[in-house]
């Protein structure tokens, strides 16, 4: 349980007025500027600046595409990557933001080469190359600042690969391709788990982002495939999401909640599919599935709150 919630319960129990409650919060250090703000705010501003500089460079190249020429475009992007890496290696204070800038510039460089020479590569190959070449930077830097955009790039590569290979826009997806994409998406939160942090340097927010992306990749396609190809996909999705939920329950409550929500979604879709196979009308399926969803969410919320109170997790 959080400290603020505990103080509010104490104030209500002893019927403290507003002034006494405020004094109690001051004694607990809950009023005024947070202690972590002076150290974290400059870093957050620097990270935002690095990201804006990287995006600004991409937009500048795009707006001056014809003026710069092919060698000018590629040369500017290569210089940006080199300057970022050089600054990261020589100036420890800017290592994080310089590496982030270099990572963004490298993706823009790949896109620039692809647009200039028309290599014929699919978009997912660009993002896959960006993911592979950016992984050493993440392992060397060991910071959430770089892991977060890397996760976004990796998940985009998986989505584009599935669309290119399976014709996802026409719902003609091969179940084998979707299962392979599910396994790849589960590798993202697996790498972010606390037992591997001594090697990766990832943090809690990168884990939560990886879980959110993976659960979305599994739950949403499973709902489409369930009504298109039978119960096989939805059962495999339930198995994978259930295993992920059980694993995450050992480490982080927020990640567990995300995975649990995906598991309940898959369970309700499976229930609706069963009712549809039994010949029930749509109104009955809608009402029964809604009632089941309410019951499952209520049960899961009560268990997660009990775990939160017992373990004091954030």
């Amino acid at each position: 349980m959080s400290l603020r919630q505990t103080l509010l319960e104490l104030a209500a129990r002893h019927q403290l007025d507003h002034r006494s409650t405020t004094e109690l919060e001051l004694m607990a250090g809950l009023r005024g500027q947070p202690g972590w703000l002076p150290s974290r705010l400059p870093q957050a501003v620097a990270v935002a600046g690095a990201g804006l500089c990287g995006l600004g460079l991409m937009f500048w190249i795009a707006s001056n595409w014809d003026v710069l020429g092919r060698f000018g475009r590629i040369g500017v992007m290569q210089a940006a990557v080199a300057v970022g890496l050089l600054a990261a290696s020589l100036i420890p204070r800017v290592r994080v933001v310089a590496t982030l800038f270099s990572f963004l510039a490298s993706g823009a460089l790949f896109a620039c080469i692809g647009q200039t020479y028309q290599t014929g590569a699919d978009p997912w190959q660009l993002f896959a190359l960006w993911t592979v070449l950016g992984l050493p930077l993440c392992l060397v830097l060991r910071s959430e600042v770089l892991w977060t955009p890397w996760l976004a790039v990796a998940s985009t590569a998986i989505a584009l690969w599935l669309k290119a290979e399976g014709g996802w826009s026409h719902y003609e997806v091969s179940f084998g391709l979707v299962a392979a994409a599910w396994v790849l998406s589960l590798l993202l939160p697996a790498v972010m788990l606390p037992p591997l942090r001594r090697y990766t340097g990832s943090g809690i927010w990168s884990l939560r982002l990886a879980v959110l992306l993976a659960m979305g990749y599994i739950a949403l396609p499973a709902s489409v495939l369930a009504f298109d190809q039978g119960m096989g996909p939805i059962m495999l999705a339930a198995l994978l999401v259930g295993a992920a939920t059980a694993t995450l329950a050992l480490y982080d409550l927020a990640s567990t909640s995300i995975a649990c929500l995906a598991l309940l979604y898959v369970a309700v879709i499976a229930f609706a599919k069963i009712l549809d196979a039994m010949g029930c009308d749509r109104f009955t399926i809608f009402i029964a599935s809604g009632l089941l969803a309410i019951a499952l969410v209520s049960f899961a919320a009560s268990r997660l709150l009990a775990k939160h109170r017992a373990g004091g997790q954030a």
Side-chain angles (χ1 to χ4, degrees):
M1 184 179 296
S2 65
L3 179 59
R4 185 180 297 276
Q5 185 177 355
T6 303
L7 291 181
L8 292 177
E9 290 183 357
L10 287 174
R13 185 184 308 165
H14 297 283
Q15 298 182 350
L16 300 180
D17 57 13
H18 177 72
R19 180 178 179 180
S20 300
T21 303
T22 302
E23 292 178 355
L24 186 62
E25 291 178 348
L26 287 172
M27 294 174 59
L30 297 179
R31 290 295 182 111
Q33 179 176 286
W36 52 265
L37 188 60
S39 60
R40 295 290 184 88
L41 183 59
Q43 181 183 12
V45 173
V47 169
L52 292 175
C53 286
L55 292 175
L57 180 62
M58 298 178 195
F59 296 152
W60 182 78
I61 292 292
S63 62
N64 295 276
W65 187 266
D66 295 329
V67 176
L68 292 173
R70 66 174 63 181
F71 295 109
R73 295 190 294 263
I74 297 176
V76 169
M77 301 308 301
Q78 287 178 330
V81 175
V83 168
L85 294 178
L86 187 63
S89 61
L90 297 179
I91 310 175
R93 293 185 59 183
V94 301
R95 180 165 297 157
V96 173
V97 294
T99 307
L100 175 61
F101 175 77
S102 182
F103 176 75
L104 296 175
S106 64
L109 174 61
F110 299 148
C112 185
I113 293 175
Q115 288 294 323
T116 300
Y117 292 101
Q118 296 295 323
T119 59
D122 290 330
W124 74 265
Q125 295 174 323
L126 165 65
F127 282 90
L129 180 62
W130 193 3
T131 300
V132 172
L133 295 182
L135 184 58
L137 291 178
C138 295
L139 295 175
V140 171
L141 186 63
R142 296 169 53 83
S143 173
E144 266 193 318
V145 172
L146 197 57
W147 277 118
T148 301
W150 183 87
L151 287 170
V153 172
S155 60
T156 303
I158 296 173
L160 292 176
W161 171 74
L162 182 60
K163 180 179 179 180
E165 299 296 329
W168 174 248
S169 59
H170 303 293
Y171 300 100
E172 298 174 356
V173 187
S174 168
F175 181 37
L177 287 173
V178 174
W182 289 352
V183 173
L184 290 174
S185 64
L186 284 176
L187 289 177
L188 301 181
V191 173
M192 301 295 115
L193 287 176
L196 296 178
R197 283 180 187 168
R198 57 181 299 185
Y199 306 107
T200 63
S202 62
I204 194 65
W205 289 105
S206 54
L207 172 63
R208 292 170 181 175
L209 175 62
V211 171
L212 178 63
L213 293 171
M215 295 302 102
Y217 276 124
I218 294 176
L220 295 179
S223 62
V224 175
L225 291 176
F227 289 93
D228 184 58
Q229 300 186 13
M231 290 295 293
I234 201 72
M235 296 305 295
L236 177 59
L239 178 63
L240 293 176
V241 177
T245 305
T247 303
L248 293 168
L250 303 174
Y251 303 110
D252 179 52
L253 182 62
S255 300
T256 306
S257 302
I258 296 172
C260 187
L261 180 62
L263 179 61
L264 299 184
Y265 173 83
V266 171
V268 172
I269 293 298
F271 179 72
K273 173 62 179 177
I274 292 174
L275 294 181
D276 181 67
M278 294 172 58
C280 296
D281 59 89
R282 294 184 178 180
F283 180 78
T284 302
I285 295 175
F286 177 78
I287 296 299
S289 300
L291 293 175
L292 178 64
I294 293 173
L296 291 178
V297 170
S298 300
F299 175 76
S302 63
R303 299 308 304 166
L304 290 172
L305 285 174
K307 179 179 177 62
H308 173 68
R309 295 192 182 99
Q313 299 187 40

